[in-house]
Amino acid sequence: MISSSRLRSLAASAVLLAAAAVAHAQAALPNVVILATGGTIAGAGASAVNSATYAAAKVGVEKLIAGLPELSAIANVKGEQVFQVASESMTNDNLMTLAKRVSALSKQSDVDGIVITHGTDTLEETAYFLTLTVHTAKPIVVVGSMRPGTALSADGALNLYDAVSVAGSKDAVGKGVLVTMNDNIDSGRDVSKSINIKTSAFSSQWGPLGMVVEGRNYWFRAPVKRHTMNSEFDIDSITALPNVGIAMGYEGVEPTAIEALGKSGVKALVHAGTGNGSVANRIVPYLQKVRADGAIVIRSARVPDGFVLRNAEQPDDKYDWVVAHDLRPQKARILAMVALTKTSDTKELQRIFWEY
Ligand code: DAS
């Protein structure tokens, strides 16, 4: 017959053993921090059939994490609400605040990976900015969703699960900033929102780096452009971002936008030209004036894929203009802002556009 005190002692030992087992299991899991910024992944609609009509940036990070208990099996997750905005309203200050927080966390020995939940509208710009300026090899994964969590077949939960899984993966180390949407793992440099109303919204013209399926990563290529640890730019030494604007080319275009941007004191103007970055002949003199007034002119293209060929549609050498290579106008603006924190020499700027 076992005495009651013996039973109590056995029970206490069992509890201690169980606690030790849990602690051991948790210690084996990666530590991932989720920085929440808003967007649809934090959105809420009036009903389950509202997959496209809803309010973005409503649900806090703790609720996002609580709504996904599966996370506890793959990582020790902590959440921070950096801000709560729909990403079309992001500002340069938001970008700087976020990047500096990512940089600080990446230096902590108790952080193995970082996830940023973000609106999809400008997710590609934030992902590229982090690629260029955060010096860490630790996985940084930016994630959003096209449907709010309240909708039928919402995509946010699995996107977030995938993001945390990739952020805690050893094989994601050193691959630059990543974006996990719709089972794909894309490079933060290459990915753009190409469809504005489908869960398959994001794509990279050079293809995804891989896929994440049921918590496992399948890699098919690696980035070749400079990023993170191999970047000459560092958010920790950037104190402000210069003003860079974008003007679009189209049939019947007038110089109004270009003149206004020039007068506003932009340090660079990205021209989103037709075709291979073409510029209407009546617009060329206005871009030449922008350059003559000391701002940088960067020829990009409104055509999403391909790349702008230097000295093809316009004599860039003669006009002292820069070409954006394969970067869409909104990405070219991000690189121009970062590059201009270091140089305004057009030869140096063109090197930077080839390399990043
Ligand atoms: N307004 C969009 C944004 O915040 C919603 C979304 O798709 O995330 O980017």
Side-chain angles (χ1 to χ4, degrees), residues 38-41 54 56 85-88 118-122 144-146 193:
T40 293
I41 196 165
Y54 55 83
V85 293
S87 71
E88 64 270 22
H118 195 290
T120 60
D121 285 10
T122 63
S145 75
M146 292 301 289
K193 185 175 185 179

Side-chain angles (χ1 to χ4, degrees), residues 105-128:
L105 282 169
S106 72
K107 293 174 173 60
Q108 291 181 201
S109 60
D110 62 344
V111 173
D112 299 305
I114 298 164
V115 168
I116 294 112
T117 58
H118 195 290
T120 60
D121 285 10
T122 63
L123 188 149
E124 64 205 80
E125 297 170 56
T126 297
Y128 192 32

Side-chain angles (χ1 to χ4, degrees), residues 216-246:
R216 187 171 165 199
N217 306 330
Y218 299 85
W219 302 101
F220 299 99
R221 67 184 189 88
V224 294
K225 299 291 186 179
R226 295 176 66 175
H227 61 77
T228 58
M229 294 300 285
N230 184 29
S231 171
E232 64 200 274
F233 310 105
D234 187 341
I235 188 62
D236 295 344
S237 53
I238 296 176
T239 53
L241 292 173
N243 183 7
V244 175
I246 303 174

Side-chain angles (χ1 to χ4, degrees), residues 40-346:
T40 293
I41 196 165
S47 91
V49 295
N50 285 128
S51 59
T53 309
Y54 55 83
K58 292 295 176 201
V59 178
V61 65
E62 295 312 330
K63 199 169 173 198
L64 286 180
I65 295 170
L68 203 46
E70 292 79 4
L71 292 178
S72 60
I74 58 171
N76 300 315
V77 171
K78 278 185 190 162
E80 287 183 19
Q81 193 77 43
V82 184
F83 25 79
Q84 183 76 285
V85 293
S87 71
E88 64 270 22
S89 303
M90 283 273 286
T91 64
N92 282 357
D93 286 347
N94 290 149
L95 210 43
M96 293 279 284
T97 302
L98 177 63
K100 287 182 182 295
R101 186 61 189 137
V102 172
S103 178
L105 282 169
S106 72
K107 293 174 173 60
Q108 291 181 201
S109 60
D110 62 344
V111 173
D112 299 305
I114 298 164
V115 168
I116 294 112
T117 58
H118 195 290
T120 60
D121 285 10
T122 63
L123 188 149
E124 64 205 80
E125 297 170 56
T126 297
Y128 192 32
F129 185 77
L130 297 172
T131 298
L132 295 169
T133 62
V134 178
H135 278 228
T136 183
K138 292 179 183 176
I140 302 172
V141 186
V142 190
V143 65
S145 75
M146 292 301 289
R147 295 173 181 156
T150 49
L152 294 174
S153 302
D155 55 330
L158 184 56
N159 285 353
L160 180 55
Y161 180 87
D162 288 346
V164 171
S165 170
V166 172
S169 304
K170 288 189 172 37
D171 63 7
V173 168
K175 289 198 167 59
V177 173
L178 304 169
V179 173
T180 57
M181 295 286 290
N182 201 39
D183 305 329
N184 279 340
I185 306 173
D186 280 284
S187 135
R189 176 197 186 270
D190 297 342
V191 77
S192 281
K193 185 175 185 179
S194 301
I195 306 171
N196 58 21
I197 200 159
K198 285 185 174 180
T199 52
S200 56
F202 282 76
S203 61
S204 305
Q205 73 164 318
W206 312 118
L209 299 180
M211 282 188 74
V212 48
V213 182
E214 296 187 3
R216 187 171 165 199
N217 306 330
Y218 299 85
W219 302 101
F220 299 99
R221 67 184 189 88
V224 294
K225 299 291 186 179
R226 295 176 66 175
H227 61 77
T228 58
M229 294 300 285
N230 184 29
S231 171
E232 64 200 274
F233 310 105
D234 187 341
I235 188 62
D236 295 344
S237 53
I238 296 176
T239 53
L241 292 173
N243 183 7
V244 175
I246 303 174
M248 192 170 174
Y250 48 87
E251 278 191 20
V253 63
E254 296 295 335
T256 320
I258 290 170
E259 287 184 299
L261 283 170
K263 289 190 184 104
S264 75
V266 290
K267 298 297 180 210
L269 189 156
V270 176
H271 182 264
T274 53
N276 192 246
S278 308
V279 181
N281 51 19
R282 62 185 176 279
I283 294 295
V284 170
Y286 290 91
L287 289 179
Q288 286 176 307
K289 181 172 184 323
V290 166
R291 182 69 195 111
D293 291 348
I296 304 296
V297 171
I298 299 166
R299 265 193 329 114
S300 178
R302 72 181 201 182
V303 175
D305 291 347
F307 61 84
V308 174
L309 206 57
R310 188 170 173 83
N311 293 319
E313 288 296 339
Q314 291 293 328
D316 300 296
D317 290 351
K318 180 181 169 194
Y319 293 166
D320 195 25
W321 292 354
V322 174
V323 293
H325 202 27
D326 66 325
L327 294 176
R328 294 183 181 186
Q330 59 273 27
K331 296 246 189 185
R333 173 181 167 273
I334 294 290
L335 181 53
M337 286 198 298
V338 171
L340 285 165
T341 64
K342 278 225 168 184
T343 179
S344 57
D345 174 89
T346 46

